[in-house]
Amino acid sequence: MKCDAQTREEWSSLESLFSFARMDARNLITCFHEEMKRGLAGESSSLKMLPCFVNRPTGLEEGSFLALDLGGTNLRVLAVELDSRGGANISAVDRFIIPASVMHGRGEELFDFLADGVFLFLEKHGYNLHQHHDLAFTFSFPVEQSALNSGILLNWTKGFTASGVEGKDVVTLLAEALIRKNIKNVSVTALANDTIGTLMTKSYTDASCDMSVILGTGTNACYSENTRRIAKYTGSGDDREMIVNLEWGNFDRIEMNSYDRALDHATRNIGRQRLEKMVSGMYLGELARLIILDMIDRGCLLKKKDRQIFDRGYAITTEHLSRAAGGEDIFAQFGLENVTDYDREAAVRISHIVSKRAARIAGTAIASVITWMDAGLERHHTVAVDGSLFEKYPGFSTNMLNILQELFGDSAGKIALSTAADGSGIGAAIIAAVASGRRRQ
Ligand code: BGC
């Protein structure tokens, strides 16, 4: 083990590599606004700013809808009932784990897997196969929509690589797969990103909700924009609102450190989703693993022979890290015995360093979108947030609030971060209801 002074230096250099100060936050906001402007104008930008052809619900929507939710390693099929009074109830839900072979195989196999999920759900819950059902498809990847029920996948994220899907209309692919399974009574009436579902869910009961954020496996946000400000929007140029999906995970005007670069280099989408790779649940564990390996190599942590336990990419997950942040011994989770107190404390410290930067970047990205909508922070904004980082990672939401406070002082009170659980299921049903026009008169 090195001497104290050397150790102190190691830590302070790690802390400064991962620091994200108020000045960095201010710069990020300026760059974010520039990228948003370019994205809305249809110019080249790391923020795609995708119009979603839907606006917020009135709260009067009603009916029963099916939702299919593909966003990470799980597929869910749900039945949702809306009561037109802000109440939404999931009456049935089935989960299927997507095998790696399907995530990385042919697109047709992936969509057959989705159609199988729908078939099993209908059968298990006794649905009448001759009665018609509307299905909303939550597809949480960057999609360029041309209508509420069609959209082209721009590129995969979150480790998906299924071939032959990028550049194709995912609603058509799903409809074709349903036909292959002989499911003729289900029509895909709406396509939505999970951010849109989350915004719909919260704004079904809270009219001041004009933005939503996902902080889970991936990260992203959407907000309510005036169609006049969407320069690339070619629909009627009247003055109404439309939700825009930022696809902020791809924001790239942010400085990467050596660990970020090493992580990026080993991904299937090098150079893309830079912000996501610094912020989201898919990657925080991996950043910590790279730091731990580096520290072992430099003789500041554990023993050299322990290295092999952490050799495999993504061996440390964000859940491990979150438990370490909550005080659990991360090394015991890997079966390591005789670990010193110093090692254990180091693991906790690493989990704080990595997650603090993530939370401060996420908070600043929220600040960017809110000040784009309301530069002087004159109105109250509810931001619906879904995802395990925000809900479960110790200290994450506090770090987000801290940076808002540093940026806006007392006016930060105008921004309320509010959990919106299961936006991707319930929200999809609300979108299907808005699309069908079914609402209490
Ligand atoms: C996707 C977004 C999605 C986010 C959260 C990102 O990887 O590109 O479309 O909203 O993950 O699920």
Side-chain angles (χ1 to χ4, degrees), residues 239-301:
D239 198 6
R240 56 195 177 86
E241 67 167 54
M242 183 181 278
I243 299 173
V244 171
N245 167 9
L246 283 112
E247 283 298 330
W248 81 14
N250 194 48
F251 179 74
D252 66 2
R253 292 175 61 186
I254 185 161
E255 212 180 307
M256 294 162 97
N257 64 32
S258 50
Y259 298 105
D260 298 316
R261 280 191 290 275
L263 179 146
D264 179 48
H265 199 72
T267 56
R268 295 173 192 261
N269 55 352
I270 299 178
R272 294 230 185 104
Q273 300 294 109
R274 277 207 201 174
L275 182 140
E276 181 159 276
K277 288 170 184 167
M278 294 176 164
V279 168
S280 84
M282 177 148 178
Y283 302 103
L284 294 190
E286 179 63 359
L287 278 175
R289 185 187 75 92
L290 295 173
I291 297 170
I292 288 175
L293 282 185
D294 197 25
M295 287 191 148
I296 296 178
D297 290 346
R298 290 191 290 135
C300 336
L301 192 71

Short mmCIF file of all heavy atoms in Angstrom, two decimals, residues 239-301:
data_model
loop_
_atom_site.label_atom_id
_atom_site.label_comp_id
_atom_site.label_asym_id
_atom_site.label_seq_id
_atom_site.Cartn_x
_atom_site.Cartn_y
_atom_site.Cartn_z
N ASP A 239 -50.37 27.42 -33.82
CA ASP A 239 -49.79 27.65 -32.52
C ASP A 239 -50.32 26.61 -31.54
O ASP A 239 -51.25 26.86 -30.82
CB ASP A 239 -50.31 29.05 -32.14
CG ASP A 239 -49.51 29.65 -31.06
OD1 ASP A 239 -48.51 29.05 -30.67
OD2 ASP A 239 -49.91 30.73 -30.60
N ARG A 240 -49.77 25.41 -31.54
CA ARG A 240 -50.27 24.44 -30.56
C ARG A 240 -49.08 23.69 -29.97
O ARG A 240 -47.95 23.87 -30.41
CB ARG A 240 -51.28 23.49 -31.18
CG ARG A 240 -50.79 22.77 -32.36
CD ARG A 240 -51.93 22.14 -33.14
NE ARG A 240 -51.37 21.51 -34.30
CZ ARG A 240 -50.88 20.30 -34.30
NH1 ARG A 240 -50.93 19.55 -33.23
NH2 ARG A 240 -50.33 19.80 -35.39
N GLU A 241 -49.36 22.88 -28.99
CA GLU A 241 -48.22 22.21 -28.37
C GLU A 241 -48.04 20.80 -28.91
O GLU A 241 -48.97 20.14 -29.34
CB GLU A 241 -48.33 22.22 -26.84
CG GLU A 241 -49.44 21.41 -26.26
CD GLU A 241 -49.25 21.23 -24.76
OE1 GLU A 241 -49.09 22.24 -24.04
OE2 GLU A 241 -49.28 20.08 -24.29
N MET A 242 -46.79 20.39 -28.93
CA MET A 242 -46.46 19.02 -29.34
C MET A 242 -45.29 18.57 -28.48
O MET A 242 -44.39 19.35 -28.21
CB MET A 242 -46.09 18.99 -30.81
CG MET A 242 -45.83 17.58 -31.28
SD MET A 242 -45.37 17.46 -33.01
CE MET A 242 -46.94 17.49 -33.82
N ILE A 243 -45.32 17.31 -28.10
CA ILE A 243 -44.22 16.81 -27.27
C ILE A 243 -43.02 16.50 -28.16
O ILE A 243 -43.17 15.95 -29.26
CB ILE A 243 -44.67 15.58 -26.48
CG1 ILE A 243 -45.84 15.96 -25.57
CG2 ILE A 243 -43.53 15.02 -25.66
CD1 ILE A 243 -46.48 14.81 -24.86
N VAL A 244 -41.86 16.92 -27.70
CA VAL A 244 -40.62 16.66 -28.44
C VAL A 244 -39.72 15.76 -27.60
O VAL A 244 -39.47 16.03 -26.42
CB VAL A 244 -39.90 17.99 -28.78
CG1 VAL A 244 -38.52 17.72 -29.36
CG2 VAL A 244 -40.73 18.82 -29.76
N ASN A 245 -39.25 14.69 -28.22
CA ASN A 245 -38.31 13.76 -27.58
C ASN A 245 -36.89 14.24 -27.88
O ASN A 245 -36.47 14.28 -29.03
CB ASN A 245 -38.58 12.36 -28.17
CG ASN A 245 -37.49 11.35 -27.83
OD1 ASN A 245 -36.59 11.62 -27.03
ND2 ASN A 245 -37.56 10.18 -28.45
N LEU A 246 -36.17 14.61 -26.84
CA LEU A 246 -34.82 15.18 -27.08
C LEU A 246 -33.78 14.15 -27.51
O LEU A 246 -32.84 14.47 -28.20
CB LEU A 246 -34.27 15.81 -25.79
CG LEU A 246 -34.83 17.17 -25.42
CD1 LEU A 246 -35.66 17.07 -24.17
CD2 LEU A 246 -33.71 18.16 -25.21
N GLU A 247 -33.95 12.90 -27.04
CA GLU A 247 -32.89 11.88 -27.18
C GLU A 247 -31.58 12.46 -26.61
O GLU A 247 -30.54 12.47 -27.25
CB GLU A 247 -32.72 11.44 -28.64
CG GLU A 247 -33.79 10.47 -29.10
CD GLU A 247 -33.82 9.13 -28.32
OE1 GLU A 247 -32.77 8.69 -27.83
OE2 GLU A 247 -34.91 8.56 -28.19
N TRP A 248 -31.68 12.92 -25.36
CA TRP A 248 -30.53 13.62 -24.79
C TRP A 248 -29.35 12.70 -24.45
O TRP A 248 -28.24 13.18 -24.23
CB TRP A 248 -30.93 14.52 -23.64
CG TRP A 248 -31.15 13.92 -22.27
CD1 TRP A 248 -30.81 12.69 -21.80
CD2 TRP A 248 -31.73 14.62 -21.15
NE1 TRP A 248 -31.15 12.56 -20.48
CE2 TRP A 248 -31.71 13.72 -20.05
CE3 TRP A 248 -32.25 15.91 -20.97
CZ2 TRP A 248 -32.21 14.08 -18.79
CZ3 TRP A 248 -32.74 16.25 -19.71
CH2 TRP A 248 -32.72 15.34 -18.65
N GLY A 249 -29.59 11.40 -24.43
CA GLY A 249 -28.49 10.48 -24.16
C GLY A 249 -27.35 10.65 -25.16
O GLY A 249 -26.20 10.34 -24.88
N ASN A 250 -27.69 11.18 -26.32
CA ASN A 250 -26.66 11.32 -27.37
C ASN A 250 -25.93 12.67 -27.32
O ASN A 250 -25.03 12.92 -28.14
CB ASN A 250 -27.33 11.14 -28.74
CG ASN A 250 -26.31 10.95 -29.83
OD1 ASN A 250 -25.39 10.15 -29.69
ND2 ASN A 250 -26.44 11.72 -30.91
N PHE A 251 -26.30 13.54 -26.38
CA PHE A 251 -25.65 14.85 -26.29
C PHE A 251 -24.13 14.64 -26.19
O PHE A 251 -23.66 13.85 -25.36
CB PHE A 251 -26.17 15.59 -25.05
CG PHE A 251 -25.55 16.94 -24.86
CD1 PHE A 251 -25.90 18.00 -25.67
CD2 PHE A 251 -24.59 17.14 -23.87
CE1 PHE A 251 -25.33 19.25 -25.50
CE2 PHE A 251 -24.01 18.38 -23.69
CZ PHE A 251 -24.37 19.44 -24.51
N ASP A 252 -23.37 15.36 -27.04
CA ASP A 252 -21.94 15.02 -27.06
C ASP A 252 -21.00 16.19 -26.74
O ASP A 252 -19.79 16.03 -26.83
CB ASP A 252 -21.55 14.39 -28.41
CG ASP A 252 -21.68 15.35 -29.57
OD1 ASP A 252 -22.03 16.52 -29.34
OD2 ASP A 252 -21.41 14.92 -30.71
N ARG A 253 -21.56 17.34 -26.34
CA ARG A 253 -20.66 18.46 -26.04
C ARG A 253 -20.34 18.47 -24.54
O ARG A 253 -20.67 19.39 -23.82
CB ARG A 253 -21.27 19.75 -26.54
CG ARG A 253 -21.28 19.71 -28.07
CD ARG A 253 -21.96 20.87 -28.66
NE ARG A 253 -21.32 22.12 -28.32
CZ ARG A 253 -21.83 23.30 -28.66
NH1 ARG A 253 -22.97 23.37 -29.33
NH2 ARG A 253 -21.21 24.42 -28.32
N ILE A 254 -19.72 17.42 -24.14
CA ILE A 254 -19.40 17.25 -22.73
C ILE A 254 -18.07 16.51 -22.68
O ILE A 254 -17.85 15.58 -23.45
CB ILE A 254 -20.55 16.46 -22.04
CG1 ILE A 254 -20.33 16.36 -20.56
CG2 ILE A 254 -20.77 15.09 -22.63
CD1 ILE A 254 -21.60 16.02 -19.82
N GLU A 255 -17.21 16.99 -21.80
CA GLU A 255 -15.85 16.45 -21.80
C GLU A 255 -15.78 15.05 -21.18
O GLU A 255 -16.33 14.82 -20.10
CB GLU A 255 -14.95 17.39 -21.00
CG GLU A 255 -13.54 17.39 -21.55
CD GLU A 255 -12.68 18.34 -20.73
OE1 GLU A 255 -13.09 19.52 -20.57
OE2 GLU A 255 -11.64 17.89 -20.25
N MET A 256 -15.12 14.15 -21.91
CA MET A 256 -14.98 12.78 -21.38
C MET A 256 -13.61 12.66 -20.71
O MET A 256 -12.64 13.25 -21.19
CB MET A 256 -15.04 11.77 -22.52
CG MET A 256 -16.38 11.69 -23.22
SD MET A 256 -16.16 10.90 -24.83
CE MET A 256 -16.61 9.23 -24.47
N ASN A 257 -13.53 11.88 -19.65
CA ASN A 257 -12.21 11.62 -19.06
C ASN A 257 -11.69 10.27 -19.56
O ASN A 257 -12.34 9.60 -20.39
CB ASN A 257 -12.28 11.71 -17.53
CG ASN A 257 -13.17 10.64 -16.92
OD1 ASN A 257 -13.27 9.53 -17.45
ND2 ASN A 257 -13.83 10.98 -15.82
N SER A 258 -10.53 9.85 -19.06
CA SER A 258 -9.92 8.63 -19.61
C SER A 258 -10.81 7.40 -19.39
O SER A 258 -10.88 6.51 -20.23
CB SER A 258 -8.55 8.41 -18.96
OG SER A 258 -8.69 8.49 -17.57
N TYR A 259 -11.54 7.35 -18.27
CA TYR A 259 -12.42 6.19 -18.01
C TYR A 259 -13.61 6.21 -18.97
O TYR A 259 -14.03 5.18 -19.48
CB TYR A 259 -12.92 6.19 -16.56
CG TYR A 259 -11.78 6.07 -15.57
CD1 TYR A 259 -11.36 7.17 -14.82
CD2 TYR A 259 -11.12 4.86 -15.41
CE1 TYR A 259 -10.31 7.07 -13.93
CE2 TYR A 259 -10.06 4.75 -14.51
CZ TYR A 259 -9.66 5.86 -13.77
OH TYR A 259 -8.61 5.74 -12.89
N ASP A 260 -14.16 7.42 -19.22
CA ASP A 260 -15.28 7.52 -20.16
C ASP A 260 -14.85 7.02 -21.54
O ASP A 260 -15.59 6.32 -22.23
CB ASP A 260 -15.75 8.97 -20.31
CG ASP A 260 -16.26 9.57 -19.01
OD1 ASP A 260 -17.02 8.87 -18.32
OD2 ASP A 260 -15.89 10.72 -18.69
N ARG A 261 -13.62 7.43 -21.91
CA ARG A 261 -13.14 7.03 -23.25
C ARG A 261 -12.93 5.53 -23.34
O ARG A 261 -13.30 4.90 -24.32
CB ARG A 261 -11.85 7.78 -23.60
CG ARG A 261 -12.13 9.21 -24.08
CD ARG A 261 -10.89 9.84 -24.67
NE ARG A 261 -9.90 10.12 -23.66
CZ ARG A 261 -9.89 11.24 -22.91
NH1 ARG A 261 -10.79 12.19 -23.12
NH2 ARG A 261 -8.98 11.43 -21.98
N ALA A 262 -12.37 4.94 -22.27
CA ALA A 262 -12.15 3.49 -22.29
C ALA A 262 -13.49 2.76 -22.37
O ALA A 262 -13.65 1.79 -23.12
CB ALA A 262 -11.39 3.07 -21.04
N LEU A 263 -14.47 3.26 -21.62
CA LEU A 263 -15.80 2.62 -21.63
C LEU A 263 -16.40 2.71 -23.04
O LEU A 263 -16.83 1.71 -23.62
CB LEU A 263 -16.71 3.31 -20.61
CG LEU A 263 -18.15 2.78 -20.52
CD1 LEU A 263 -18.66 2.87 -19.08
CD2 LEU A 263 -19.13 3.47 -21.44
N ASP A 264 -16.37 3.92 -23.58
CA ASP A 264 -16.96 4.15 -24.90
C ASP A 264 -16.33 3.24 -25.95
O ASP A 264 -17.01 2.64 -26.78
CB ASP A 264 -16.78 5.62 -25.28
CG ASP A 264 -17.35 5.93 -26.66
OD1 ASP A 264 -18.50 5.52 -26.90
OD2 ASP A 264 -16.66 6.57 -27.48
N HIS A 265 -15.02 3.12 -25.86
CA HIS A 265 -14.28 2.39 -26.86
C HIS A 265 -14.68 0.92 -26.94
O HIS A 265 -14.58 0.29 -27.99
CB HIS A 265 -12.77 2.50 -26.56
CG HIS A 265 -11.96 2.18 -27.75
ND1 HIS A 265 -11.89 3.02 -28.83
CD2 HIS A 265 -11.24 1.07 -28.07
CE1 HIS A 265 -11.14 2.45 -29.75
NE2 HIS A 265 -10.73 1.27 -29.33
N ALA A 266 -15.15 0.39 -25.81
CA ALA A 266 -15.50 -1.04 -25.80
C ALA A 266 -16.99 -1.28 -26.07
O ALA A 266 -17.47 -2.39 -25.96
CB ALA A 266 -15.13 -1.61 -24.44
N THR A 267 -17.73 -0.22 -26.44
CA THR A 267 -19.17 -0.41 -26.67
C THR A 267 -19.44 -0.74 -28.14
O THR A 267 -18.57 -0.58 -28.99
CB THR A 267 -20.00 0.84 -26.30
OG1 THR A 267 -19.48 1.96 -27.05
CG2 THR A 267 -19.94 1.14 -24.83
N ARG A 268 -20.70 -1.13 -28.40
CA ARG A 268 -21.09 -1.45 -29.79
C ARG A 268 -21.44 -0.18 -30.56
O ARG A 268 -21.69 -0.23 -31.75
CB ARG A 268 -22.32 -2.37 -29.79
CG ARG A 268 -22.03 -3.73 -29.18
CD ARG A 268 -23.35 -4.50 -29.06
NE ARG A 268 -23.19 -5.68 -28.23
CZ ARG A 268 -23.02 -6.91 -28.72
NH1 ARG A 268 -23.00 -7.12 -30.00
NH2 ARG A 268 -22.89 -7.93 -27.90
N ASN A 269 -21.55 0.94 -29.84
CA ASN A 269 -21.90 2.20 -30.53
C ASN A 269 -20.89 3.30 -30.16
O ASN A 269 -21.26 4.31 -29.54
CB ASN A 269 -23.35 2.62 -30.21
CG ASN A 269 -23.62 2.74 -28.72
OD1 ASN A 269 -22.79 2.36 -27.90
ND2 ASN A 269 -24.75 3.29 -28.37
N ILE A 270 -19.64 3.06 -30.53
CA ILE A 270 -18.55 3.98 -30.16
C ILE A 270 -18.89 5.41 -30.62
O ILE A 270 -19.35 5.62 -31.74
CB ILE A 270 -17.22 3.54 -30.82
CG1 ILE A 270 -16.85 2.15 -30.32
CG2 ILE A 270 -16.09 4.53 -30.51
CD1 ILE A 270 -15.59 1.58 -30.92
N GLY A 271 -18.64 6.36 -29.73
CA GLY A 271 -18.81 7.78 -30.09
C GLY A 271 -20.24 8.27 -29.95
O GLY A 271 -20.51 9.46 -29.98
N ARG A 272 -21.19 7.34 -29.79
CA ARG A 272 -22.59 7.74 -29.65
C ARG A 272 -23.00 7.69 -28.18
O ARG A 272 -22.34 7.07 -27.37
CB ARG A 272 -23.49 6.75 -30.41
CG ARG A 272 -23.30 6.77 -31.88
CD ARG A 272 -24.68 6.89 -32.52
NE ARG A 272 -24.60 6.80 -33.95
CZ ARG A 272 -24.94 5.73 -34.64
NH1 ARG A 272 -25.39 4.67 -34.02
NH2 ARG A 272 -24.86 5.73 -35.94
N GLN A 273 -24.16 8.30 -27.88
CA GLN A 273 -24.77 8.24 -26.55
C GLN A 273 -23.76 8.60 -25.44
O GLN A 273 -23.67 7.94 -24.42
CB GLN A 273 -25.35 6.83 -26.29
CG GLN A 273 -26.42 6.40 -27.27
CD GLN A 273 -27.69 7.22 -27.19
OE1 GLN A 273 -27.97 8.00 -28.11
NE2 GLN A 273 -28.47 7.09 -26.14
N ARG A 274 -23.01 9.69 -25.68
CA ARG A 274 -21.97 10.07 -24.72
C ARG A 274 -22.53 10.42 -23.35
O ARG A 274 -22.00 10.03 -22.33
CB ARG A 274 -21.22 11.28 -25.26
CG ARG A 274 -20.16 10.91 -26.22
CD ARG A 274 -19.15 12.01 -26.14
NE ARG A 274 -18.35 12.04 -27.32
CZ ARG A 274 -17.45 12.99 -27.55
NH1 ARG A 274 -17.29 13.97 -26.69
NH2 ARG A 274 -16.74 12.96 -28.62
N LEU A 275 -23.59 11.25 -23.36
CA LEU A 275 -24.15 11.64 -22.06
C LEU A 275 -24.71 10.40 -21.36
O LEU A 275 -24.52 10.22 -20.16
CB LEU A 275 -25.22 12.72 -22.26
CG LEU A 275 -25.87 13.25 -20.97
CD1 LEU A 275 -26.07 14.77 -21.05
CD2 LEU A 275 -27.20 12.59 -20.69
N GLU A 276 -25.39 9.55 -22.14
CA GLU A 276 -25.96 8.33 -21.54
C GLU A 276 -24.87 7.50 -20.87
O GLU A 276 -25.07 6.92 -19.80
CB GLU A 276 -26.66 7.52 -22.63
CG GLU A 276 -27.32 6.25 -22.14
CD GLU A 276 -28.39 5.76 -23.08
OE1 GLU A 276 -29.53 6.24 -22.98
OE2 GLU A 276 -28.10 4.90 -23.96
N LYS A 277 -23.71 7.44 -21.51
CA LYS A 277 -22.62 6.62 -20.98
C LYS A 277 -22.01 7.22 -19.70
O LYS A 277 -21.28 6.55 -18.99
CB LYS A 277 -21.55 6.40 -22.06
CG LYS A 277 -22.04 5.43 -23.16
CD LYS A 277 -21.11 5.37 -24.34
CE LYS A 277 -21.71 4.47 -25.43
NZ LYS A 277 -21.02 4.60 -26.73
N MET A 278 -22.30 8.48 -19.41
CA MET A 278 -21.82 9.09 -18.16
C MET A 278 -22.90 9.07 -17.08
O MET A 278 -22.61 9.29 -15.91
CB MET A 278 -21.45 10.56 -18.40
CG MET A 278 -20.29 10.74 -19.32
SD MET A 278 -20.09 12.52 -19.58
CE MET A 278 -18.46 12.56 -20.23
N VAL A 279 -24.16 8.86 -17.51
CA VAL A 279 -25.26 9.09 -16.57
C VAL A 279 -26.09 7.84 -16.25
O VAL A 279 -26.54 7.67 -15.13
CB VAL A 279 -26.19 10.20 -17.13
CG1 VAL A 279 -27.50 10.28 -16.36
CG2 VAL A 279 -25.49 11.56 -17.12
N SER A 280 -26.29 6.95 -17.22
CA SER A 280 -27.38 5.98 -17.02
C SER A 280 -26.94 4.69 -16.34
O SER A 280 -25.76 4.36 -16.24
CB SER A 280 -28.05 5.67 -18.35
OG SER A 280 -27.33 4.67 -19.03
N GLY A 281 -27.94 3.96 -15.90
CA GLY A 281 -27.75 2.74 -15.12
C GLY A 281 -27.00 1.65 -15.87
O GLY A 281 -26.37 0.79 -15.26
N MET A 282 -27.07 1.67 -17.18
CA MET A 282 -26.36 0.64 -17.93
C MET A 282 -24.84 0.79 -17.75
O MET A 282 -24.10 -0.18 -17.85
CB MET A 282 -26.73 0.75 -19.41
CG MET A 282 -25.98 -0.21 -20.29
SD MET A 282 -26.97 -0.71 -21.66
CE MET A 282 -25.79 -1.75 -22.50
N TYR A 283 -24.37 2.01 -17.48
CA TYR A 283 -22.93 2.27 -17.56
C TYR A 283 -22.23 2.63 -16.24
O TYR A 283 -21.00 2.56 -16.19
CB TYR A 283 -22.67 3.38 -18.59
CG TYR A 283 -23.20 3.03 -19.96
CD1 TYR A 283 -24.39 3.58 -20.44
CD2 TYR A 283 -22.53 2.13 -20.77
CE1 TYR A 283 -24.88 3.24 -21.70
CE2 TYR A 283 -23.01 1.78 -22.02
CZ TYR A 283 -24.20 2.34 -22.48
OH TYR A 283 -24.68 1.99 -23.70
N LEU A 284 -22.96 3.07 -15.22
CA LEU A 284 -22.26 3.55 -14.01
C LEU A 284 -21.44 2.44 -13.35
O LEU A 284 -20.32 2.67 -12.89
CB LEU A 284 -23.25 4.15 -13.00
CG LEU A 284 -23.98 5.43 -13.44
CD1 LEU A 284 -24.73 6.03 -12.27
CD2 LEU A 284 -23.01 6.44 -14.03
N GLY A 285 -21.98 1.23 -13.33
CA GLY A 285 -21.25 0.11 -12.75
C GLY A 285 -19.97 -0.15 -13.52
O GLY A 285 -18.92 -0.46 -12.94
N GLU A 286 -20.06 -0.01 -14.84
CA GLU A 286 -18.89 -0.27 -15.68
C GLU A 286 -17.81 0.79 -15.44
O GLU A 286 -16.62 0.47 -15.39
CB GLU A 286 -19.33 -0.31 -17.15
CG GLU A 286 -18.22 -0.54 -18.16
CD GLU A 286 -17.51 -1.90 -18.02
OE1 GLU A 286 -17.86 -2.67 -17.13
OE2 GLU A 286 -16.58 -2.14 -18.81
N LEU A 287 -18.23 2.04 -15.27
CA LEU A 287 -17.24 3.09 -14.96
C LEU A 287 -16.52 2.75 -13.66
O LEU A 287 -15.29 2.85 -13.57
CB LEU A 287 -17.92 4.45 -14.82
CG LEU A 287 -18.23 5.21 -16.11
CD1 LEU A 287 -19.02 6.48 -15.80
CD2 LEU A 287 -16.95 5.56 -16.87
N ALA A 288 -17.31 2.32 -12.67
CA ALA A 288 -16.71 1.97 -11.37
C ALA A 288 -15.75 0.81 -11.54
O ALA A 288 -14.66 0.78 -10.93
CB ALA A 288 -17.80 1.62 -10.37
N ARG A 289 -16.13 -0.17 -12.38
CA ARG A 289 -15.25 -1.34 -12.57
C ARG A 289 -13.91 -0.89 -13.17
O ARG A 289 -12.84 -1.33 -12.75
CB ARG A 289 -15.93 -2.34 -13.52
CG ARG A 289 -15.16 -3.64 -13.69
CD ARG A 289 -15.79 -4.52 -14.75
NE ARG A 289 -15.52 -4.02 -16.09
CZ ARG A 289 -14.50 -4.38 -16.85
NH1 ARG A 289 -13.65 -5.28 -16.41
NH2 ARG A 289 -14.34 -3.86 -18.05
N LEU A 290 -13.97 0.03 -14.13
CA LEU A 290 -12.72 0.48 -14.76
C LEU A 290 -11.84 1.21 -13.74
O LEU A 290 -10.61 1.06 -13.74
CB LEU A 290 -13.03 1.39 -15.96
CG LEU A 290 -13.75 0.69 -17.13
CD1 LEU A 290 -14.17 1.69 -18.19
CD2 LEU A 290 -12.87 -0.39 -17.74
N ILE A 291 -12.47 1.96 -12.86
CA ILE A 291 -11.70 2.67 -11.82
C ILE A 291 -11.07 1.65 -10.87
O ILE A 291 -9.88 1.73 -10.53
CB ILE A 291 -12.60 3.65 -11.04
CG1 ILE A 291 -13.15 4.74 -11.97
CG2 ILE A 291 -11.84 4.27 -9.87
CD1 ILE A 291 -14.22 5.61 -11.35
N ILE A 292 -11.88 0.66 -10.46
CA ILE A 292 -11.37 -0.34 -9.52
C ILE A 292 -10.18 -1.10 -10.12
O ILE A 292 -9.14 -1.29 -9.48
CB ILE A 292 -12.52 -1.30 -9.08
CG1 ILE A 292 -13.47 -0.54 -8.16
CG2 ILE A 292 -11.98 -2.56 -8.40
CD1 ILE A 292 -14.72 -1.29 -7.75
N LEU A 293 -10.30 -1.50 -11.40
CA LEU A 293 -9.20 -2.22 -12.05
C LEU A 293 -7.94 -1.37 -12.06
O LEU A 293 -6.84 -1.84 -11.76
CB LEU A 293 -9.56 -2.56 -13.50
CG LEU A 293 -10.51 -3.74 -13.72
CD1 LEU A 293 -10.67 -4.01 -15.22
CD2 LEU A 293 -10.01 -4.99 -13.01
N ASP A 294 -8.13 -0.11 -12.41
CA ASP A 294 -7.00 0.81 -12.47
C ASP A 294 -6.32 0.94 -11.10
O ASP A 294 -5.10 0.92 -10.97
CB ASP A 294 -7.55 2.16 -12.94
CG ASP A 294 -6.45 3.06 -13.43
OD1 ASP A 294 -5.41 2.53 -13.85
OD2 ASP A 294 -6.63 4.29 -13.38
N MET A 295 -7.15 1.03 -10.06
CA MET A 295 -6.59 1.16 -8.71
C MET A 295 -5.87 -0.10 -8.29
O MET A 295 -4.84 -0.04 -7.61
CB MET A 295 -7.70 1.51 -7.71
CG MET A 295 -8.18 2.94 -7.86
SD MET A 295 -9.23 3.33 -6.47
CE MET A 295 -8.91 5.05 -6.25
N ILE A 296 -6.43 -1.26 -8.67
CA ILE A 296 -5.74 -2.52 -8.32
C ILE A 296 -4.37 -2.53 -9.02
O ILE A 296 -3.34 -2.80 -8.42
CB ILE A 296 -6.56 -3.76 -8.77
CG1 ILE A 296 -7.89 -3.84 -8.02
CG2 ILE A 296 -5.75 -5.04 -8.56
CD1 ILE A 296 -8.80 -5.00 -8.42
N ASP A 297 -4.37 -2.16 -10.31
CA ASP A 297 -3.11 -2.17 -11.08
C ASP A 297 -2.07 -1.23 -10.47
O ASP A 297 -0.88 -1.49 -10.55
CB ASP A 297 -3.36 -1.75 -12.54
CG ASP A 297 -4.13 -2.82 -13.29
OD1 ASP A 297 -4.21 -3.95 -12.76
OD2 ASP A 297 -4.67 -2.54 -14.37
N ARG A 298 -2.56 -0.14 -9.89
CA ARG A 298 -1.60 0.82 -9.34
C ARG A 298 -1.31 0.59 -7.85
O ARG A 298 -0.71 1.42 -7.20
CB ARG A 298 -2.10 2.24 -9.60
CG ARG A 298 -1.98 2.52 -11.12
CD ARG A 298 -2.16 3.91 -11.54
NE ARG A 298 -3.53 4.32 -11.39
CZ ARG A 298 -3.92 5.46 -10.86
NH1 ARG A 298 -3.01 6.28 -10.41
NH2 ARG A 298 -5.18 5.77 -10.81
N GLY A 299 -1.80 -0.55 -7.39
CA GLY A 299 -1.47 -0.95 -6.01
C GLY A 299 -2.19 -0.13 -4.95
O GLY A 299 -1.73 -0.08 -3.81
N CYS A 300 -3.30 0.51 -5.30
CA CYS A 300 -3.98 1.30 -4.25
C CYS A 300 -5.25 0.63 -3.75
O CYS A 300 -5.97 1.22 -2.95
CB CYS A 300 -4.40 2.68 -4.74
SG CYS A 300 -3.54 3.33 -6.08
N LEU A 301 -5.58 -0.55 -4.25
CA LEU A 301 -6.82 -1.18 -3.81
C LEU A 301 -6.69 -2.70 -3.90
O LEU A 301 -6.07 -3.21 -4.85
CB LEU A 301 -7.96 -0.70 -4.73
CG LEU A 301 -9.39 -1.00 -4.31
CD1 LEU A 301 -9.78 -0.15 -3.12
CD2 LEU A 301 -10.35 -0.72 -5.46
#
